[in-house]
Amino acid sequence: MTSNEKDIHNPEVKKPLDDNARKFLVTPISPDFLIDNQASSFVLIVDWLETNEDNEKKIAFKQFDNGDSQILLISKVTVDGNRTSVKEPISAEEYKKLTASSVLHLEKRRYELDYVQSGVAYSLKYDEFSDKKLCVLEVDGSDEDTRNAFEPSDFPASLDEVTGDMKYYGYRVADVIEAL
């Protein structure tokens, strides 16, 4: 579980979270790698309520393999290229009401894991979309220097960096998937 996720379990916490991880297109990652690195996984169902160039509002329904679930209302804002998120837990009743006003729907399998490369710790999020036609890896570290120290060529899957390419951020990725 990442430090950002720990914050969202506390309903009192509604602080902005840094959302500036490096982003890569990736070939499907080996299930053995995910198991060896103790990846947790869940189905992530996202419904966007607002889709604007510099901000978006969405609801995320996480369905864990053990039957547990978590529902979040997420607001993301981009200012000068930096994205921040505010995540707030909501009830199943609120979720049901909000999905009625969804303007875009997307489902994916997400894996989250900690990964150490050359002695540096990273938090990874790996998403598999629509029959693995598109797989995306987000690499985050404690700060920008740590994120920049990640070496894609040392990762055990082929990576193509798309950090900053807005078509792979938020609601825009639905257009990429549709084009596949």
Side-chain angles (χ1 to χ4, degrees):
M1 185 175 297
T2 65
S3 59
N4 286 357
E5 283 188 274
K6 290 176 187 170
D7 291 343
I8 61 177
H9 288 293
N10 179 349
E12 301 303 314
V13 175
K14 294 182 186 175
K15 66 178 187 151
L17 303 173
D18 181 359
D19 195 20
N20 293 309
R22 289 177 68 189
K23 195 171 287 240
F24 300 87
L25 299 183
V26 60
T27 56
I29 294 177
S30 158
D32 290 338
F33 174 84
L34 297 170
I35 291 167
D36 290 348
N37 286 280
Q38 301 176 346
S40 62
S41 74
F42 51 89
V43 172
L44 180 57
I45 302 167
V46 183
D47 283 278
W48 279 269
L49 307 173
E50 297 175 17
T51 57
N52 298 309
E53 187 173 327
D54 291 329
N55 61 62
E56 61 185 71
K57 190 173 197 175
K58 62 186 177 182
I59 43 178
F61 184 92
K62 296 180 179 182
Q63 183 65 54
F64 298 93
D65 295 338
N66 67 3
D68 289 347
S69 62
Q70 181 183 39
I71 308 169
L72 301 169
L73 177 62
I74 303 170
S75 297
K76 293 191 177 215
V77 177
T78 304
V79 177
D80 296 328
N82 291 311
R83 286 170 46 101
T84 57
S85 299
V86 175
K87 300 179 180 184
E88 174 183 351
I90 62 172
S91 70
E93 184 177 301
E94 289 172 292
Y95 173 75
K96 190 174 180 177
K97 287 178 186 175
L98 288 171
T99 56
S101 58
S102 173
V103 296
L104 186 61
H105 176 87
L106 188 67
E107 295 184 27
K108 59 188 172 185
R109 163 82 46 189
R110 170 162 285 174
Y111 297 86
E112 295 182 345
L113 59 140
D114 294 323
Y115 175 71
V116 177
Q117 183 187 75
S118 301
V120 179
Y122 298 95
S123 175
L124 306 183
K125 293 180 182 176
Y126 167 59
D127 293 336
E128 292 178 336
F129 297 89
S130 57
D131 300 327
K132 297 183 186 177
K133 290 181 182 175
L134 177 66
C135 298
V136 176
L137 179 70
E138 291 185 16
V139 177
D140 207 353
S142 58
D143 56 32
E144 187 175 349
D145 289 339
T146 302
R147 287 188 287 269
N148 289 335
F150 177 79
E151 182 53 56
S153 63
D154 292 342
F155 192 74
S158 178
L159 300 178
D160 180 23
E161 187 153 13
V162 294
T163 302
D165 185 343
M166 293 310 291
K167 72 181 178 188
Y168 296 103
Y169 287 78
Y171 66 91
R172 295 170 192 90
V173 76
D175 290 335
V176 173
I177 293 168
E178 189 175 301
L180 295 176

